[in-house]
Amino acid sequence: MAETAGQRFVCGDLAGVRALYHTPHGDEQVAWATQARLLERPLVPDLPLLAARLAVGEHHWPHRTPYEKIQLVPGGFGLLLTPGAPPQLVDITGAPLVDDLGEGAAQFGQALAEAVRRPVRAAGSEVGADLSGGLDSSATVLLAAEAGQVHAVTYTDGYTSGEDASFAARVAGHARIRHTVAEGDGQQLPFTFPTDGARGDGPVFAAANWAMDAAYLAPVAGLPLQLTGHGGDVVLDASPACWVRLLQDGRRREAHRQVVAFARLRNTAPGPYFKTLKDAASTGRRGSLEHASEVLKRGPLAPSITASGWSWCRLGAGASWLTEAGRHQVATLLRQAAHNQQQPEQADVFDQWAALRAMGASARGWAPHGQALNVRPAYPYLDNQVVRAAFAIPALARRGLVTYKPLLRAALPHLPDWLVSRRSKGSFTAQRIAGLARHHNRLDELIVSSPLVGTGLIDPAAVRVALGQAARGQNATAIADLHQLLVTCWWLSGHQAVLEAAC
């Protein structure tokens, strides 16, 4: 925070791990705090916004929170407060851009190494670290082991990737660190929620993994910090939005060449994929949101509606669960979001900041669960200097075709080749299907009793069909949306009394 000439400027971090909330307070005054509950009592959940996030994602409203009357300063912005004037968001993302991966890799490597080693050295004793076996957590563990003592922990069960577990063991052996593997069973499957009431300031995916987290993090409880690879995908890689940006810049031939190469590596047809990207480029952010709004108003939507490639506004399975009233309320919110002047119109810039803020929201949302488990997470990939160094490199340069996450190899050339050459990545789909099947009846009750259903925003019959299919492994495309719906319903269950009083 800084004050000068009667003005006050406050900001958090680029990813939004440390949130900054604000709300009107009296005549032309603004109150701000790092916790929403310090600004308003009682806090009333914003049900239409939560329904909209389920239907089209949370990134269209970066300034809004799950609560009525409470606003959020998005990651990458600061809040300028001037007496007698409305609050003003100030962009703090500025960083010099480099031309290519080679030019920016060294700076990124230095930033990441320091973001890992600094807290390890400051701890002065053994620290904990997640080690899934993926590139992000593995690189973090290897860097940490160069600075101090590390106790790495890994979770595995009959549904997780055996290849991931093998890589985790190899990394731990290479680093010569203490390594504990938790072997879970049915009791640790997803969708076992915390019972301590620690819900945080919004619904987060990780709330459904409470039993798994409690099992594998127990050996490192009480240590000074717990390093994670959370956010690595965002800074080390880029989405197909970078090809949309090529099309926006008139570089159609280059975009087509890269898309064809991408499709061939995955043995898929490039034509339909490329058409989706062309549509996104020609329609733009505002046009895409307005089109999605019109589609919702016309409704109802088919449960199987999907979009290949990259989209500014994806109407997924969650959109098909909206009632007519729900569709109209979400359509209104989308029309409002379409005119947000502070959202980037370049596809790659929009996407990387949306993804980064989602990672920040997930990290801060997990904070109360970490406290309950006596774990102190650290997120080196979300460090300000790491983010700035990564985003200074064009998204197109970070997007790997043949090489997976080429920035990691270029930035940390001393990492073992057998690790950075890896192109595969474990999936948790089978684990989530098993969790949905095991907890099916309880999850069905959670949805039916939700205020989203009670206020007529979500159709329980439509969700029940999707839940049953997913639990039988027949509808994997709906699993992510179901996961988000379930953690939202669980989070709302902690606000039942407030919602009943508000009605």
Side-chain angles (χ1 to χ4, degrees):
M1 184 179 72
E3 292 190 62
T4 179
Q7 292 182 319
R8 176 177 292 178
F9 181 73
V10 289
C11 68
D13 58 297
L14 295 181
V17 177
R18 296 177 295 277
L20 181 60
Y21 301 98
H22 63 99
T23 189
H25 182 71
D27 295 333
E28 298 184 342
Q29 297 292 317
V30 175
W32 63 272
T34 56
Q35 297 180 52
R37 62 182 176 84
L38 300 177
L39 295 177
E40 185 79 15
R41 291 290 182 91
L43 287 166
V44 180
D46 188 337
L47 295 178
L49 180 67
L50 289 168
R53 289 180 168 186
L54 288 168
V56 296
E58 64 184 74
H59 47 280
H60 302 298
W61 302 274
H63 61 293
R64 297 188 62 166
T65 74
Y67 297 113
E68 296 178 358
K69 302 180 182 179
I70 305 294
Q71 298 283 295
L72 176 71
V73 177
F77 286 88
L79 185 68
L80 181 63
L81 303 173
T82 304
Q88 181 182 352
L89 291 179
V90 179
D91 192 325
I92 60 170
T93 62
L97 299 179
V98 300
D99 292 331
D100 54 36
L101 185 71
E103 186 179 350
Q107 183 178 354
F108 175 82
Q110 292 173 3
L112 179 60
E114 183 61 18
V116 174
R117 294 168 181 162
R118 183 179 61 248
V120 173
R121 290 192 295 260
S125 61
E126 184 180 61
V127 303
D130 291 345
L131 181 56
S132 68
L135 292 184
D136 308 342
S137 66
S138 295
T140 300
V141 165
L142 291 173
L143 289 172
E146 296 170 1
Q149 291 182 305
V150 180
H151 183 178
V153 287
T154 300
Y155 176 84
T156 184
D157 61 23
Y159 303 97
T160 55
S161 166
E163 185 182 21
D164 273 356
S166 176
F167 267 92
R170 189 172 183 182
V171 168
H174 181 84
R176 298 181 179 179
I177 58 172
R178 186 179 176 192
H179 184 212
T180 300
V181 178
E183 296 186 3
D185 55 27
Q187 298 297 322
Q188 283 76 45
L189 285 173
F191 307 110
T192 300
F193 295 97
T195 58
D196 60 359
R199 282 169 168 77
D201 282 335
V204 292
F205 260 47
N209 298 329
W210 170 257
M212 181 182 77
D213 289 347
Y216 90 94
L217 291 172
V220 291
L223 293 182
L225 63 92
Q226 178 73 11
L227 291 161
T228 85
H230 187 79
D233 285 341
V234 178
V235 298
L236 293 173
D237 204 353
S239 80
C242 63
W243 299 327
V244 177
R245 175 63 183 274
L246 284 176
L247 291 165
Q248 287 180 306
D249 291 345
R251 300 166 64 184
R252 184 184 184 282
R253 181 173 297 179
E254 176 64 10
H256 187 263
R257 183 188 68 80
Q258 294 219 19
V259 169
V260 169
F262 174 82
R264 284 176 176 169
L265 284 171
R266 287 150 184 81
N267 197 30
T268 60
Y273 191 90
F274 190 57
K275 181 181 184 304
T276 300
L277 302 183
K278 288 193 297 181
D279 290 344
S282 61
T283 307
R285 186 189 69 86
R286 177 178 295 186
S288 296
L289 267 62
E290 290 176 342
H291 174 71
S293 175
E294 291 301 316
V295 171
L296 283 171
K297 284 197 299 183
R298 287 197 304 266
L301 280 68
S304 60
I305 185 168
T306 58
S308 61
W310 184 85
S311 172
W312 295 94
C313 184
R314 187 181 303 277
L315 294 173
S320 72
W321 304 333
L322 296 172
T323 63
E324 182 178 3
R327 290 196 308 273
H328 280 270
Q329 293 200 51
V330 173
T332 298
L333 289 169
L334 275 175
R335 286 197 302 273
Q336 295 170 353
H339 296 278
N340 183 350
Q341 299 297 324
Q342 290 169 324
Q343 285 276 59
E345 299 297 333
Q346 301 90 357
D348 55 343
V349 179
F350 170 85
D351 190 73
Q352 69 183 9
W353 281 101
L356 180 69
R357 289 167 184 151
M359 291 295 102
S362 174
R364 69 174 182 263
W366 194 79
H369 307 312
Q371 291 173 2
L373 295 171
N374 197 19
V375 170
R376 300 167 180 82
Y379 303 99
Y381 288 104
L382 301 182
D383 176 84
N384 280 351
Q385 297 308 313
V386 173
V387 171
R388 282 201 170 95
F391 286 2
I393 302 169
L396 184 64
R398 286 182 277 123
R399 177 68 176 173
L401 289 177
V402 177
T403 302
Y404 182 50
K405 297 183 178 177
L407 176 56
L408 189 64
R409 177 191 288 268
L412 300 172
H414 69 287
L415 292 181
D417 186 70
W418 52 264
L419 175 65
V420 294
S421 297
R422 186 182 180 189
R423 290 177 53 189
S424 58
K425 183 176 182 178
S427 169
F428 291 94
T429 298
Q431 187 190 55
R432 289 198 285 183
I433 290 173
L436 291 171
R438 181 180 180 89
H439 303 296
H440 181 276
N441 292 338
R442 180 173 55 81
L443 298 177
D444 182 77
E445 293 174 3
L446 182 65
I447 293 168
V448 171
S449 62
S450 168
L452 292 170
V453 170
T455 55
L457 293 168
I458 296 290
D459 177 6
V463 180
R464 181 173 282 125
V465 170
L467 178 62
Q469 291 175 340
R472 295 190 296 271
Q474 298 171 339
N475 188 8
T477 59
I479 288 178
D481 285 1
L482 279 169
H483 193 144
Q484 183 62 38
L485 174 62
L486 289 165
V487 296
T488 301
C489 291
W490 173 79
W491 182 79
L492 283 169
S493 68
H495 298 274
Q496 196 76 36
V498 172
L499 288 165
E500 290 173 356
C503 295

